[in-house]
Amino acid sequence: MYPDSLDHNSLPHHKMNSQVSVEANRKGGQTEFKKSYGNADDDEEEPNCCVVALIYIVSIILIILTFPLTIWGCFKVVQEYERAVIFRLGRLRSGRAKGPGMFFIIPCMDTYRCVDLRTIAFDVPPQEILTKDSVTVAVDAVVFFQVSNPLAAICNNDDYKKSTQLLASTTLRNVLGTKNLSDILIEREHMAESMHHTLEEATQPWGVHVQRVELKDVRLPKNMQRSMAAEAEATRDARAKVIASDGEYKSSKALKEAADVIATSPAALQLRYLQTLQGISAEKNSTIIFPLPMEIFGGFMQNGGLRQRKKVVEVEEDMY
């Protein structure tokens, strides 16, 4: 059902490690555990075999003597989505976590902790971030993660859930604090991917695999919202005026071409007049507009102009 090997050359380094961890958990195993506590020069003291053997024998004897009662405390069950990390006398038992199903422990010697392997989601509280262009914004996000290595989650971190939440808050501030406001509003997916990559590298020693990071909301101050709204409104008004002027230019050009066409045929103007009358009569309107050709007034205007010039000449002669 799952591939036995992965093409490591075709995957980025952080995605390759995450995929290997997920595949190992699906198959019931875990990735190799590397402790990140203590110093490299620390010498691990070997347990006293005699003391351990003595405690083991005493514990077995007690279990046998109180068999009807203690047997229920020796067998534990973990669910399909859980793993149990067992410690015997304070030391990690075997090299892997137990589960799912039933496992056996010795009550006097063993302690265990269960780890949930299901996807966990949490909200990153809104962070007041000062952007690169000196604008204060409040940004919140949501992070989805799961445990890929139960041994590392228990041994390398005191509380992997709280640590991941705190790291997500600081990473959100660090990543978005180096960007301009326009980049945060436009490139939200890129910001989320950058934050995901940073969290994945930081939480890998803790045995945590960050699956997805999403920016939920970017809240701006009230005065900034008003400024941006005024800017958008001014831009749209300017664009509307340009579109209206362009339409006027095209319509005037079309009217000029129509007038030139009508001027070539005197009957075209009369046909246009009849069409206008038909349109007016269709609306049951009693008002009729009758256009008068300018040629009718041409003669009157010409005669009036001659009389006016004659009067001017007579006035000038009287003056002299």
Side-chain angles (χ1 to χ4, degrees):
M1 180 176 180
Y2 301 104
D4 293 334
S5 62
L6 296 173
D7 187 2
H8 293 179
N9 296 326
S10 62
L11 294 175
H13 180 68
H14 67 283
K15 292 185 177 180
M16 179 184 67
N17 293 335
S18 303
Q19 187 68 22
V20 171
S21 301
V22 174
E23 292 294 336
N25 284 322
R26 286 175 176 173
K27 293 179 180 180
Q30 289 84 34
T31 57
E32 182 182 357
F33 166 61
K34 296 180 179 180
K35 69 174 184 177
S36 61
Y37 51 88
N39 298 324
D41 297 334
D42 291 345
D43 295 331
E44 295 184 359
E45 297 181 359
E46 294 294 335
N48 193 330
C49 297
C50 296
V51 176
V52 173
L54 179 61
I55 297 175
Y56 181 79
I57 293 173
V58 172
S59 299
I60 295 298
I61 293 174
L62 291 176
I63 292 174
I64 295 175
L65 293 177
T66 59
F67 175 76
L69 300 177
T70 57
I71 192 62
W72 303 107
C74 296
F75 290 96
K76 302 294 181 180
V77 177
V78 292
Q79 304 297 327
E80 176 67 27
Y81 52 83
E82 293 178 335
R83 297 295 183 271
V85 179
I86 304 176
F87 298 91
R88 175 161 293 178
L89 296 178
R91 300 178 64 87
L92 186 64
R93 180 183 173 187
S94 69
R96 56 185 296 273
K98 300 296 182 180
M102 182 182 297
F103 60 93
F104 178 83
I105 64 171
I106 301 176
C108 300
M109 299 180 63
D110 297 341
T111 59
Y112 73 97
R113 290 182 60 182
C114 288
V115 180
D116 196 333
L117 302 182
R118 293 176 294 182
T119 299
I120 302 173
F122 65 89
D123 290 324
V124 179
Q127 303 293 315
E128 294 288 339
I129 299 172
L130 183 64
T131 61
K132 189 177 181 180
D133 49 355
S134 301
V135 178
T136 303
V137 295
V139 184
D140 56 353
V142 59
V143 178
F144 301 89
F145 74 96
Q146 67 175 169
V147 176
S148 60
N149 192 329
L151 300 181
I154 296 299
C155 298
N156 290 344
N157 197 293
D158 178 51
D159 190 346
Y160 63 91
K161 294 182 181 179
K162 183 178 180 180
S163 299
T164 304
Q165 294 176 2
L166 295 176
L167 181 62
S169 300
T170 56
T171 303
L172 180 64
R173 299 175 64 91
N174 295 335
V175 171
L176 299 186
T178 59
K179 303 296 180 181
N180 295 325
L181 177 61
S182 58
D183 297 335
I184 297 176
L185 296 177
I186 297 174
E187 301 178 358
R188 298 179 64 174
E189 294 183 358
H190 178 70
M191 299 294 102
E193 183 63 27
S194 177
M195 185 177 174
H196 178 207
H197 176 69
T198 304
L199 286 175
E200 182 68 19
E201 289 185 349
T203 57
Q204 186 176 1
W206 303 342
V208 174
H209 165 53
V210 179
Q211 295 178 326
R212 191 177 184 88
V213 178
E214 292 290 342
L215 298 182
K216 292 176 59 179
D217 189 17
V218 179
R219 289 187 290 275
L220 301 175
K222 295 295 182 181
N223 55 353
M224 180 60 65
Q225 293 181 10
R226 289 193 295 267
S227 300
M228 295 181 67
E231 180 183 0
E233 184 177 359
T235 302
R236 290 184 179 274
D237 290 341
R239 190 180 304 170
K241 291 180 180 179
V242 172
I243 294 174
S245 60
D246 185 60
E248 291 290 340
Y249 170 75
K250 291 182 180 180
S251 62
S252 61
K253 189 175 180 180
L255 289 174
K256 179 181 178 299
E257 294 177 357
D260 294 340
V261 173
I262 292 177
T264 57
S265 177
L269 183 60
Q270 186 66 22
L271 291 175
R272 182 59 181 165
Y273 168 64
L274 295 176
Q275 290 178 355
T276 304
L277 289 179
Q278 183 181 2
I280 294 174
S281 62
E283 297 179 359
K284 296 181 181 181
N285 196 345
S286 60
T287 303
I288 297 177
I289 301 174
F290 185 78
L292 293 176
M294 295 301 296
E295 288 79 2
I296 298 177
F297 298 96
F300 297 100
M301 294 176 64
Q302 186 176 4
N303 294 334
L306 291 174
R307 294 193 188 97
Q308 186 68 23
R309 284 197 294 271
K310 288 180 180 179
K311 289 181 180 180
V312 173
V313 172
E314 290 176 357
V315 170
E316 292 177 353
E317 290 177 353
D318 294 338
M319 291 177 63
Y320 291 105

